[in-house]
Amino acid sequence: MTEVSGLEALHPGTLDCVHCGMCLTSCPTYQVTGRETSSPRGRVYLLRGVAEGEIPLAETLAEEAYLCLGCRACETACPSGVAFGSLLEQARSVVDRAGLRRGWAKRIEQFALRTVVPRPRVLHGLLGAVSVAQRLGLDRLVLPWLPRRWREMHGLLPRIPAASERRRLPEVTPAIGEQRGRVAFFEGCIMPEVFGAMNRATVRVLASQGFEVVVPAAQRCCGALQAHAGELELATELARANVIAFGQAGAQGDAPENAPGTASATAPATGFDAIVVNSAGCGAALRELDHWIGDEGAPLAGQVRDVCEFLDQVGMRGTPRPLSKRVAYDDPCHLIHAQGVADAPRRLLEAIPELELVAHQDPAGCCGAAGIYNLTHPEMSAAILAKKLDALEAARPAIIATGNPGCLMQLQAGAQSRGMNVRLAHPIELLAETL
Amino acid sequence: MGPTPNPSSLEASLRDVVGADQVLTRPEELFVYEVDGLTHHSARPRAVVLPATTEEVARVVKVCRRHEVPFVPRGAGTGLSGGALALGRGVIIECARMNSILQIEPEDRYAVVQPGVVNTDLSKAVLHHGLFYAPDPSSQLVCTLGGNVAENSGGPHTLKYGTTTDHVLALELVLPDGSVVRLGSPSGWPAGYDLVGAVVGSEGTLGVVTEATVRLSPIPERTETLLGIFPDVVSACRAVGAIIRSGLVPAAMEIVDRRTIEAVEASVYAAGLPTDAGAVLIMELDGAAVAVGAQAERTRALSLAEGARDVQVARDEQERQRFWRARKGAFGAMGRLAPDLYVNDAVVPRRKLPEILEAVCAIGDRLGLRLSNVFHAGDGNLHPNISFDRRDADELARVLQAGEEILRLCVEAGGVISGEHGIGTEKREYMGLLFSDDDLEAMKKLRAAFDPTLACNPGKLFPTTRICFEANPKARGYDQVPFE
Ligand SMILES: Cc1cc2nc3c(=O)[nH]c(=O)nc-3n(C[C@H](O)[C@H](O)[C@H](O)COP(=O)(O)OP(=O)(O)OC[C@H]3O[C@@H](n4cnc5c(N)ncnc54)[C@H](O)[C@@H]3O)c2cc1C
Ligand code: SF4
Ligand code: SF4
């Protein structure tokens, strides 16, 4: 694809915008700057202008394409159905191919997204080294010698668990009690390394609810980070690999009995009742695989369910044990805006006896994590995070629950820096603890 | 205009005032600021400045004066008459960053706000006092109070609560010479001429509003929202007439026609409106709990008598919000039909609504346009919406023709050429339909009293006679127009 065809391809998407402005205040970067150029409407107008040759493909678009967090709050606000997420991916790809994005951010990102993240062994090895360094305190020793940027990055780095914690999940976990169905679990690339406990909790809850859980060994990274960074070719490659991995794993088992109360009544396309994901970012990407690879991706995409959404749909068996805590639920952008899931996690949490679900002022706003945005745009990220933390702090929760690893890390770092006495958890962990 | 200004020193002076990163001058940035909510008029500014304080605004205005460059205040850019366009290569003074609520006085029922405060944010901030800010334009989730003041914006609840002008008590204004004045008083009883009244609705031509003291209203004890489902728009209009004749004062009465329903139901604002209805009429009654129930019942009966197929009552606040979200997302939802939407705005006597609507639809049909109606029926305020593609020169020409025919029709019926969206660049040539030359001269004198050099938002409101309304396929060229 040449650069011109990239612009031609995205042009029709820009015509969906009637310039009504209803998206403005949903946009975190507009909220902070008050600038039309940093609003969804302005960005679409820029794109259309470039595609129609009214203005050059230049630095403003390059900056805006990356200042945008890809949070897609504008999609939830837009009455005209502008597919902003997909426009953004295409825009970034055009910007990159035009060579407009340079500098350290681009280089680190490329290295991470091309070399580390999609290769489990490289990622495992690298994080293993970090884990050892953290344990021995070596990281603090070298810290003062590092450039400022690296020091900032270090602050955001979560504590990497020891290798024993970072083991892969078993390929098959049998259902407990009467079997209701068979699901595949998408474990993600970073999740098993940093949030292995969360993945194990997910499998435990699914099994406890009567689902056999298959974790196909050949699954790959979802490609979301790559796609959001404009690396559409790599994302496409990963998408195809996942279609094959889940298709083959699904075909191996017996066709599931569609017991009452399972996710799908019709013959499931991949041989599973659902492909369950516990990371909102991965879930959003997998649900839209067909955007990258067309019909080939549709069967997989159509079966993807967020873990809370799935459990809410099939219904939890039995009553959870009580958990007497104030919990604030925070919507990950890629769950509420990209997947339209907002009520399910709240319902599941509310069903836990004695748990007090408290509302806060800014549940659907972005937290500023957005992949590695907090590294590439530290100031904007901090401004957005501050607004979120103000809202959360005012609600005085003992636990903040949110279903996306990036948001968990960002909120954790933010809460810590403010000295908030609060625990961060994925809703599924709270469900696992109250089984 | 005077001598050609030196752009570099203008920019440098602006940067001195607000800081380098609050002045936008790249061609692509200026491109984005060339339109507001009316997409077929455009004019690129020379620079965009984002001040944070009254003092910065005053200094920015002085810099513009010194360089003899016109300037125009801007809020969220949702205006629908081209009001925020910078004609004459002017400087846009973007007020969106001035978004603090400065003071809330629940007992005296007013709030003092900066102009960039978003309409609904004020209502949210005073909710816990049991108060709200009544004017509720459909764009209220995003539009600014500064823009509301300038356009004298209304909304669905204007029927009972009035427009912005009924809710503004005092203003702080940076005059076009850079001096700062305060008009009106929070008590709402100004002595002497009502200068606040003159500024509200002046479309940014008398200065930059930098602070507004606005009235807060108590949240009614009870609110009932009804959804009347009608076979066609005309019978819905008749129901509106019957309800008003009966002496009821509903808080709002809004009609949404079938084409709009279809678009809304396909959008994220879907509310479960019946797509097989010819029109729905959203009716709201509010007030003392004892009264509202009976009033709602009468409204229901009157609707049924005028041919409503069914009248639903919102069961809870959630459903009520859903009805309103559908109404308020209607404009954007029309974007599903074509890349552009032209929202016309005119007022007719209520009793003539049924016949005028029929005539409006006939104009659309005759010109082969996709015309739909969603409007403030209780006020007789029409919004014929025309979906089009501004790149199609022929279609654009027909859109403009329909717009003009509709305005003439409304004026002949005893109406006016704008209910709430203002004149801006869009309708300036039609002022002559309503006003004599003498009338216009008198208005110009008022304007000159505030702005003798006509540097503040030039080219709006008054006919120029020099502009021709030929369709322009690229819809550019407004920036070529002399603004004097
Ligand atoms: C989807 C949609 C629905 C709408 N519904 C309604 C409705 O129901 N009722 C209604 O009345 N309007 C409606 N409008 C029109 C528009 O939203 C209103 O006119 C609104 O008041 C404009 O506010 P803004 O902040 O966007 O102002 P802008 O569009 O930025 O500016 C509008 C005018 O105000 C002037 N202005 C802005 N700020 C200042 C200031 N600080 N001092 C002086 N002048 C200033 C500008 O110069 C310009 O002339 C709608 C628009 C859209 C897109
Ligand atoms: S994706 Fe988020 S940051 Fe980007 S334009 Fe939309 S709302 Fe703004
Ligand atoms: S809400 Fe949608 S149609 Fe309206 S301006 Fe934003 S992107 Fe465009």
Side-chain angles (χ1 to χ4, degrees):
Chain A
M1 269 206 298
T2 65
E3 173 201 312
V4 174
S5 75
L7 282 170
E8 266 166 23
L10 66 75
H11 180 245
T14 65
L15 299 182
D16 290 337
C17 172
V18 268
H19 220 258
C20 69
M22 294 299 275
C23 52
L24 293 174
T25 46
S26 68
C27 175
T29 54
Y30 176 80
Q31 284 171 10
V32 171
T33 63
R35 286 184 193 184
E36 181 75 18
T37 37
S38 303
S39 77
R41 179 174 70 171
R43 287 171 180 144
V44 175
Y45 203 75
L46 264 178
L47 273 179
R48 180 171 173 179
V50 172
E52 293 182 355
E54 295 269 349
I55 46 166
L57 174 55
E59 53 189 338
T60 305
L61 181 62
E63 286 166 17
E64 289 303 335
Y66 284 90
L67 186 66
C68 165
L69 297 114
C71 71
R72 297 168 67 176
C74 49
E75 286 188 30
T76 301
C78 174
S80 187
V82 172
F84 198 88
S86 141
L87 275 178
L88 179 69
E89 284 170 6
Q90 297 178 62
R92 286 182 175 174
S93 169
V94 165
V95 163
D96 280 11
R97 267 177 288 154
L100 283 168
R101 195 156 174 262
R102 289 179 218 100
W104 71 273
K106 176 75 203 158
R107 283 197 302 274
I108 293 187
E109 192 176 279
Q110 264 175 1
F111 173 71
L113 298 182
R114 289 186 187 162
T115 314
V116 183
V117 176
R119 297 201 186 137
R121 248 177 272 140
V122 178
L123 184 66
H124 188 77
L126 195 73
L127 290 179
V130 174
S131 167
V132 171
Q134 281 179 339
R135 234 152 286 272
L136 299 177
L138 290 178
D139 53 336
R140 310 220 162 261
L141 224 61
V142 291
L143 208 54
W145 308 97
L146 293 177
R148 189 176 61 93
R149 289 256 186 214
W150 290 73
R151 289 204 303 271
E152 281 169 8
M153 281 167 64
H154 179 270
L156 287 162
L157 201 65
R159 210 165 166 81
I160 307 298
S164 59
E165 285 277 298
R166 294 186 290 120
R167 59 181 195 268
R168 312 290 292 194
L169 294 162
E171 259 194 78
V172 179
T173 304
I176 296 168
E178 192 193 335
Q179 182 163 347
R180 294 159 84 188
R182 177 168 174 262
V183 298
F185 176 58
F186 181 84
E187 61 176 343
C189 48
I190 301 179
M191 290 292 289
E193 298 296 335
V194 185
F195 292 109
M198 212 173 286
N199 273 1
R200 286 192 294 280
T202 305
V203 171
R204 201 160 71 239
V205 174
L206 286 168
S208 78
Q209 296 303 309
F211 292 92
E212 180 182 279
V213 186
V214 178
V215 184
Q219 63 174 284
R220 305 281 308 271
C221 165
C222 67
L225 292 174
Q226 289 81 359
H228 299 161
E231 305 253 353
L232 288 179
E233 273 139 45
L234 185 49
T236 307
E237 185 191 314
L238 293 168
R240 294 223 162 86
N242 276 326
V243 168
I244 295 171
F246 283 90
Q248 284 176 349
Q252 275 165 16
D254 310 327
E257 307 268 325
N258 275 315
T262 57
S264 60
T266 52
T270 57
F272 293 109
D273 285 323
I275 294 164
V276 177
V277 185
N278 65 358
S279 147
C282 306
L286 292 172
R287 272 195 145 128
E288 292 176 353
L289 275 193
D290 49 332
H291 293 190
W292 309 337
I293 57 174
D295 288 347
E296 219 184 307
L300 173 59
Q303 282 216 284
V304 173
R305 295 287 177 277
D306 176 71
V307 63
C308 289
E309 178 191 18
F310 178 76
L311 290 170
D312 181 60
Q313 267 170 12
V314 297
M316 293 286 282
R317 287 195 305 210
T319 316
R321 285 187 293 124
L323 178 70
S324 131
K325 290 274 191 259
R326 262 174 94 84
V327 178
Y329 175 75
D330 200 59
D331 294 286
C333 294
H334 282 95
L335 196 54
I336 181 167
H337 302 306
Q339 303 186 57
V341 176
D343 296 338
R346 291 184 168 85
R347 269 196 296 266
L348 292 174
L349 290 174
E350 266 177 333
I352 298 176
E354 292 176 33
L355 183 149
E356 187 191 354
L357 193 63
V358 288
H360 71 96
Q361 280 296 311
D362 187 28
C366 186
C367 67
I372 58 165
Y373 189 90
N374 41 17
L375 304 179
T376 56
H377 298 81
E379 281 168 27
M380 182 62 78
S381 176
I384 294 168
L385 175 62
K387 181 167 173 274
K388 171 70 78 184
L389 290 174
D390 287 345
L392 283 167
E393 213 169 4
R396 292 177 294 104
I399 301 175
I400 298 170
T402 189
N404 192 49
C407 310
L408 281 167
M409 286 196 261
Q410 171 90 339
L411 292 174
Q412 176 81 63
Q416 215 159 32
S417 73
R418 283 198 182 192
M420 281 165 70
N421 180 20
V422 65
R423 171 186 167 203
L424 268 294
H426 192 299
I428 197 73
E429 292 180 290
L430 303 182
L431 292 180
E433 285 162 27
T434 53
L435 277 180
Chain B
M1 268 174 69
T4 320
N6 176 348
S8 62
S9 69
L10 169 81
E11 289 161 19
S13 314
L14 292 173
R15 292 197 171 103
D16 280 348
V17 177
V18 292
D21 53 348
Q22 302 302 345
V23 181
L24 312 182
T25 52
R26 282 186 204 154
E28 312 100 85
E29 292 170 328
L30 303 179
F31 171 74
V32 169
Y33 278 94
E34 70 174 8
V35 285
D36 58 9
L38 177 84
T39 51
H40 59 283
H41 287 195
S42 65
R44 263 174 238 189
R46 184 185 306 263
V48 178
V49 196
L50 294 103
T53 62
T54 301
E55 195 224 324
E56 284 185 0
V57 173
R59 287 173 59 204
V60 165
V61 166
K62 282 183 182 149
V63 167
C64 291
R65 283 275 300 216
R66 201 161 61 239
H67 291 268
E68 295 184 41
V69 174
F71 57 90
V72 46
R74 181 180 147 121
T78 66
L80 292 173
S81 54
L85 302 198
L87 297 192
R89 297 276 290 147
V91 170
I92 287 184
I93 302 179
E94 169 58 82
C95 300
R97 283 175 70 225
M98 299 177 69
N99 60 357
S100 302
I101 297 174
L102 303 171
Q103 194 184 343
I104 296 172
E105 294 297 343
E107 204 169 302
D108 294 326
R109 287 202 186 145
Y110 70 78
V112 183
V113 297
Q114 285 192 309
V117 170
V118 170
N119 179 299
T120 29
D121 286 352
L122 177 57
S123 284
K124 266 193 232 159
V126 298
L127 178 73
H128 65 284
H129 294 297
L131 299 170
F132 76 116
Y133 177 67
D136 62 337
S138 301
S139 51
Q140 70 182 143
L141 282 171
V142 296
C143 67
T144 67
L145 291 167
N148 292 173
V149 168
E151 300 287 8
N152 187 18
S153 299
H157 290 84
T158 290
L159 179 57
K160 178 170 177 181
Y161 292 92
T163 57
T164 302
T165 195
D166 300 306
H167 301 267
V168 179
L169 301 168
L171 292 171
E172 180 186 79
L173 188 72
V174 172
L175 289 173
D177 66 357
S179 56
V180 182
V181 292
R182 304 191 74 95
L183 310 173
S185 107
S187 69
W189 302 107
Y193 292 118
D194 179 8
L195 294 178
V196 171
V199 173
V200 178
S202 64
E203 304 193 16
T205 61
L206 301 185
V208 185
V209 172
T210 46
E211 205 183 283
T213 304
V214 297
R215 196 189 295 283
L216 301 173
S217 308
I219 296 174
E221 195 183 355
R222 178 163 163 200
T223 303
E224 285 288 355
T225 308
L226 285 67
L227 188 71
I229 297 156
F230 287 84
D232 49 49
V233 174
V234 171
S235 57
C237 287
R238 275 200 306 266
V240 169
I243 292 164
I244 301 272
R245 268 198 314 276
S246 78
L248 287 165
V249 186
M253 280 200 282
E254 301 280 307
I255 291 181
V256 186
D257 76 357
R258 177 193 307 221
R259 278 189 206 155
T260 313
I261 295 173
E262 279 168 5
V264 170
E265 286 304 313
S267 82
V268 291
Y269 291 85
L273 304 181
T275 46
D276 62 341
V280 297
L281 172 60
I282 303 176
M283 299 162 278
E284 192 155 280
L285 295 128
D286 66 9
V290 283
V292 170
Q295 288 171 355
E297 196 36 58
R298 271 172 70 203
T299 308
R300 204 176 106 88
L302 287 164
S303 304
L304 290 169
E306 291 296 337
R309 183 176 93 194
D310 185 19
V311 179
Q312 300 169 5
V313 182
R315 276 161 304 196
D316 51 26
E317 181 59 21
Q318 254 177 344
E319 190 165 48
R320 177 175 172 257
Q321 290 300 340
R322 234 188 2 259
F323 289 168
W324 281 118
R325 270 171 55 84
R327 162 65 186 90
K328 294 188 174 184
F331 170 176
M334 298 307 291
R336 294 171 175 265
L337 301 186
D340 296 282
L341 184 75
Y342 174 52
V343 185
N344 207 325
D345 169 40
V347 185
V348 295
R350 225 165 4 224
R351 67 178 192 283
K352 296 196 178 159
L353 269 180
E355 61 188 81
I356 296 282
L357 265 173
E358 255 170 323
V360 164
C361 292
I363 291 173
D365 290 345
R366 177 164 51 75
L367 293 171
L369 294 166
R370 287 165 287 182
L371 187 147
S372 57
N373 286 287
V374 46
F375 59 104
H376 312 307
D379 296 318
N381 187 351
L382 297 184
H383 287 325
N385 292 339
I386 307 176
S387 303
F388 71 107
D389 187 338
R390 65 179 184 267
R391 296 168 303 166
D392 178 343
D394 176 61
E395 192 178 26
L396 177 59
R398 282 178 286 132
V399 170
L400 297 178
Q401 190 186 336
E404 177 166 349
E405 287 187 24
I406 291 169
L407 289 184
R408 287 183 187 281
L409 180 77
C410 294
V411 172
E412 273 159 30
V416 295
I417 59 173
S418 170
E420 53 182 23
H421 297 167
I423 304 300
T425 55
E426 184 208 356
K427 291 178 178 164
R428 58 186 183 183
E429 306 311 322
Y430 302 121
M431 285 291 269
L433 292 179
L434 274 185
F435 300 106
S436 69
D437 286 351
D438 287 346
D439 294 337
L440 291 171
E441 266 323 301
M443 288 188 212
K444 282 184 182 167
K445 280 187 188 145
L446 173 72
R447 172 167 187 193
F450 283 81
D451 183 16
T453 59
L454 307 183
C456 186
N457 205 4
K460 314 291 166 69
L461 262 175
F462 298 106
T464 60
T465 61
R466 261 182 274 177
I467 179 170
C468 90
F469 265 82
E470 285 297 327
N472 174 348
K474 294 239 89 180
R476 316 228 173 273
Y478 268 81
D479 37 3
Q480 261 57 285
V481 175
F483 59 83
E484 202 253 333

